């Protein structure tokens, strides 16, 4: 039996009927075609499916779409404004925080969470804050640099 | 991966959840879903229905009154870790919650789901056992309250009946001169506990007056390190005394019970367990009187 849900994603309202077993990540990618959010491991390990669910990071492969009924969600598509990239995106670009880019949407959403909780993290805090996100390309050095750069640029400014 | 099909019910109150459970004998409670959803995706379970308790607000939050801390079953690991009250009055619990998985896991996973799942590689069962927690349970027969040694029965098994709901956990606040701590040997990939040692120490002028030391990660259910506790009480809490007491850890570990896997064999876990006990007791002692 399908269940009606109503979710706000990146400021836009979506009303759909879903099967209870539909994962939030498949709702976002397959039902709504917002394919910026990735599925890496599908087992809650890699973080490539990370979105902000009511303002805090969540692995959308480990959440049912029905659990998100009534929630407000931000995906990578919702970060950039009309005036260009979000500062974290800008910093990942400038500091070469990505190679193939598959982990990047999740890394950026997790970085958003990290900087929300700690606006001036040390390198070690950045590494711990991104513990749930795996990257098979960069070796993480440039990801840490990118987050540090974003923290510096965002200080005092709006997120 | 797709879970098998199930009916989905969202309960608005504990009473409604209890009623749904009794009407759907094969149903499971859904809290944060961070153990249950992976289990369903791997098709290790196929309940006919899920009863989502995630919106029952009375099950959420931390309250301290007259020496007792009451934690709603739906309180997330992130909320436990960020709680100033727990940091002051149940340090080991806040510390352990902050070491669970990663930030996104801590935002969704709940204390109730963690203990109801009773994974031996979890962190909270040993901490709650160490701190003397009690488990408040609601079911068709009414309410009951169990101590940790009755609640945790073994590998992924607890005293919770299929038709029962864990509503809250209560624990005593740290008293004068008491301190607690958690030391975790985390699996480098999964971050689950290979060994987790929880310690609570009461001291008077540096002399230990009471000790509680419980290990998890390496046994099916939390194990009290009684020999370590005995060796600590009455002693001055010096590094040497804590080190020598910790060496008694193995006396409480039953060889047939110690778990092993490709990452850490049973023998290896048993050999390094005293190190994690020593670290937990040392940190707890530094917070005691
Ligand atoms: C990537 C990853 C890493 C993790 N790392 C760690 C770690 O390092 N340490 C650790 O301790 N844990 C870890 N976990 C597990 C995590 O703590 C889970 O959140 C927790 O074990 C389950 O809580 P939940 O709220 O998600 O429960 P759910 O998954 O919703 O439920 C789990 C089980 O408990 C039952 N249940 C839930 N709530 C109740 C209730 N109130 N009454 C009765 N039954 C109930 C459910 O029916 C189900 O059987 C990790 C999980 C993931 C995905
Ligand atoms: S796809 Fe969700 S954590 Fe890897
Ligand atoms: S850039 Fe390729 S996985 Fe991270």
């Amino acid at each position: 039996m399908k269940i009606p849900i109503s979710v706000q994603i990146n400021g836009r309202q979506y009303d759909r009927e879903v099967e209870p077993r539909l994962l939030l990540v498949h709702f976002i990618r397959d039902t709504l075609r917002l394919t910026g959010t990735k599925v890496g491991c599908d087992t809650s390990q890699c973080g490539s499916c990370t979105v902000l669910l009511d303002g805090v990071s969540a692995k959308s492969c480990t959440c049912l779409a029905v659990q998100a009924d009534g929630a407000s969600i931000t995906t990578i598509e919702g970060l950039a404004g009309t005036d260009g990239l979000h500062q974290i995106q800008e910093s990942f670009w400038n500091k070469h925080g990505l190679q193939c880019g598959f982990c990047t949407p999740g890394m950026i959403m997790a970085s958003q969470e990290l900087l929300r909780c700690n606006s001036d993290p040390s390198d070690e805090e950045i590494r711990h804050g991104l513990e749930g996100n795996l990257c098979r390309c960069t070796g993480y050095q440039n990801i840490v640099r990118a987050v540090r750069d974003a923290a510096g640029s965002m200080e005092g400014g709006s997120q | 991966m797709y879970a098998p099909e199930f009916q989905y019910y969202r309960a608005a109150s504990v009473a409604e959840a209890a009623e749904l459970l009794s009407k759907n004998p094969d149903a499971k409670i859904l809290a944060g879903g961070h153990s249950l959803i992976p289990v369903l995706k791997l098709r290790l379970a196929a309940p006919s229905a899920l009863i989502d308790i995630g919106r029952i607000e009375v099950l959420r939050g931390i309250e301290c009154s007259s020496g007792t801390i009451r934690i709603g079953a739906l309180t997330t690991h992130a909320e436990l870790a960020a709680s100033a009250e727990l940091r002051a009055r149940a340090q080991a619990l806040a510390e352990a919650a902050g070491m669970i998985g990663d930030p996104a896991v801590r935002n969704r996973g709940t204390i109730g789901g963690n203990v109801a799942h009773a994974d031996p590689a979890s962190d909270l069962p040993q901490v709650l056992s160490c701190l003397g927690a009690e488990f408040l349970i609601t079911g068709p027969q009414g309410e009951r309250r169990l101590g940790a040694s009755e609640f945790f029965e073994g590998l992924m098994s607890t005293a919770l009946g299929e038709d029962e709901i864990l509503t809250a956990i209560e624990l005593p606040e740290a008293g004068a001169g008491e301190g607690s701590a958690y030391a975790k040997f985390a699996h480098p990939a999964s971050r689950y506990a290979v060994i987790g040692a929880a310690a609570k120490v009461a001291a008077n002028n540096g002399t230990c007056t009471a000790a509680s030391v419980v290990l998890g990660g390496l046994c099916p259910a939390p194990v009290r390190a009684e020999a370590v506790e005995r060796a600590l009480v009455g002693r001055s809490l010096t590094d040497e005394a804590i080190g020598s007491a910790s060496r008694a850890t193995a006396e409480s570990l039953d060889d047939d019970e110690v778990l092993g896997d490709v990452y850490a064999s049973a023998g290896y876990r048993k050999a390094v367990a005293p190190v994690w006990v020593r670290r937990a007791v040392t940190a707890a002692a530094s917070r005691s009187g």
Side-chain angles (χ1 to χ4, degrees):
Chain A
M1 193 182 58
K2 290 201 169 184
I3 309 268
I5 62 167
S6 167
V7 184
Q8 203 180 74
I9 301 185
N10 306 328
R12 202 177 136 187
Q13 190 69 29
Y14 296 91
D15 298 307
R16 295 286 189 280
E17 293 208 335
V18 299
E19 250 194 275
R21 63 178 175 157
L22 184 70
L23 298 173
L24 179 60
V25 73
H26 293 311
F27 178 69
I28 294 171
R29 286 180 51 84
D30 305 342
T31 310
L32 305 180
R33 304 302 297 158
L34 290 166
T35 53
T37 304
K38 304 296 180 228
V39 185
C41 64
D42 202 7
T43 54
S44 14
Q45 308 291 326
C46 77
S48 64
C49 63
T50 307
V51 298
L52 299 185
L53 184 57
D54 286 330
V56 303
S57 64
K59 292 179 168 178
S60 59
C61 73
T62 310
C63 180
L64 301 172
V66 284
Q67 286 179 288
D69 183 20
S72 168
I73 293 173
T74 308
T75 68
I76 189 73
E77 288 94 338
L79 279 194
T82 44
D83 50 347
L85 293 181
H86 185 278
Q87 182 57 54
I88 303 177
Q89 292 173 306
E90 195 75 45
S91 295
F92 268 70
W93 183 9
N94 287 333
K95 297 293 169 193
H96 307 285
L98 61 146
Q99 288 178 22
C100 79
F102 194 87
C103 70
T104 314
M107 280 290 178
I108 289 180
M109 300 320 284
S111 303
Q112 176 97 339
E113 166 90 3
L114 167 68
L115 296 176
R116 177 181 67 82
C117 299
N118 179 356
S119 58
D120 184 22
S122 65
D123 283 8
E124 200 187 330
E125 287 168 333
I126 294 173
R127 287 176 189 279
H128 275 297
L130 298 180
E131 222 155 46
N133 293 71
L134 303 181
C135 173
R136 299 305 298 266
C137 302
T138 63
Y140 302 99
Q141 302 291 357
N142 286 349
I143 292 177
V144 175
R145 277 187 201 118
V147 176
R148 206 190 312 130
D149 182 70
S153 309
M154 281 157 66
E155 228 170 357
S158 78
Q159 306 198 356
Chain B
M1 285 182 285
Y2 288 87
E5 283 182 42
F6 50 80
Q7 299 285 321
Y8 173 81
Y9 301 103
R10 189 178 294 147
S13 64
V14 175
E16 192 188 348
E19 194 189 318
L20 283 163
L21 267 182
S22 63
K23 280 193 193 147
N24 297 276
D26 187 27
K28 279 229 160 256
I29 297 278
L30 174 66
H34 268 51
S35 293
L36 184 55
I37 295 174
V39 162
L40 297 179
K41 286 166 78 177
L42 294 170
R43 302 210 171 201
L44 297 172
S48 60
L50 294 193
I51 296 159
D52 188 352
I53 59 168
R55 310 207 177 194
I56 306 178
E57 281 306 313
V58 293
L59 292 181
R60 205 176 282 281
I62 302 166
E63 270 171 47
C64 302
S65 73
S66 44
T68 299
I69 307 170
R70 185 189 171 98
I71 304 170
L74 273 185
T75 309
T76 63
H77 307 322
E79 287 162 348
L80 298 175
S83 162
E85 277 165 330
L86 291 188
R87 292 240 164 245
R89 302 172 214 211
Q91 299 106 325
L93 180 56
E95 194 163 57
M99 294 180 192
I100 289 178
D102 58 61
V105 169
R106 297 196 287 272
N107 284 338
R108 301 283 306 161
T110 67
I111 186 171
N114 188 287
V115 296
H117 192 60
D119 187 327
S122 280
D123 294 298
L124 303 185
Q126 51 271 32
V127 175
L128 292 169
S129 303
C130 168
L131 298 181
E134 295 193 341
F135 299 78
L136 278 64
I137 298 166
T138 296
Q141 274 82 48
E143 313 223 338
R144 57 185 188 130
R145 174 189 283 265
L146 295 179
S149 59
E150 302 156 294
F151 184 83
F152 295 109
E153 292 189 331
L155 192 83
M156 305 192 119
S157 114
T158 69
L160 268 177
E162 301 232 306
D163 49 4
E164 288 186 313
I165 301 165
L166 175 67
T167 54
I169 292 164
E170 284 188 0
L171 46 139
E173 281 181 15
E178 264 178 21
S180 67
Y182 185 62
K184 175 177 182 178
F185 174 1
H187 188 288
S190 75
R191 315 304 302 162
Y192 271 97
V194 176
I195 295 170
K200 181 168 89 168
V201 171
N204 192 350
N205 289 325
T207 300
C208 180
T209 55
S212 165
V213 179
V214 181
L215 278 161
L218 75 177
C219 283
V223 177
R224 183 164 292 284
E226 278 167 354
V228 178
E229 294 172 348
R230 276 198 304 275
L232 286 168
V233 175
R235 301 285 298 275
S236 155
L237 289 165
T238 60
D239 288 348
E240 292 77 47
I242 295 172
S244 102
S246 303
R247 281 192 282 278
T249 302
E251 287 178 35
S252 305
L253 295 173
D254 180 344
D255 277 339
D256 297 335
E257 294 260 286
V258 180
L259 304 168
D261 60 21
V262 284
Y263 176 70
S265 67
Y268 172 69
R269 286 181 206 230
K270 208 174 150 182
V272 296
V275 175
W276 297 91
V277 167
R278 176 170 53 75
R279 289 179 189 177
V281 174
T282 303
S286 74
R287 294 167 183 170
S288 70

